[in-house]
Amino acid sequence: LARAAVFHHQRVDIDGHDRLPAALSRIAGDEMGVRLGRWRDIRNAIEYSPYTPDNILDLSMQCLQEAEDLREVCRQYLLGRGIQI
């Protein structure tokens, strides 16, 4: 949904995991862009680091809640632009 909001706003599909947070910040505010970037960092740490964080369950639950918040922000943005989700 974040990608759809960015596409609608900029008319370009940004699929790079490193570029999407910055583009999302312009639409949903810096906090949401920072969250998306942090989720990428957490995912990378879990998938690629030999030293996986001890609190994976806590991080996962936090990310899920934040993802629901981001989904709602993006949904409201698109609704405000006349797009039904």
Side-chain angles (χ1 to χ4, degrees), residues 6-69:
V6 170
F7 179 78
H8 181 74
H9 182 75
Q10 295 185 350
R11 300 290 188 220
V12 63
D13 186 18
I14 297 178
D15 63 352
H17 291 213
D18 55 336
R19 296 180 310 164
L20 188 58
L24 183 63
S25 291
R26 289 186 220 109
I27 297 169
D30 288 337
E31 180 184 349
M32 291 298 168
V34 167
R35 285 181 182 188
L36 192 58
R38 191 176 76 246
W39 300 340
R40 182 192 67 235
D41 294 341
I42 291 169
R43 187 208 64 201
N44 287 343
I46 291 169
E47 289 186 7
Y48 305 116
S49 174
Y51 306 104
T52 304
D54 291 333
N55 58 341
I56 291 176
L57 182 58
D58 293 336
L59 289 172
S60 299
M61 296 307 291
Q62 180 183 5
C63 289
L64 284 172
Q65 180 58 52
E66 291 177 358
E68 290 177 12
D69 296 343

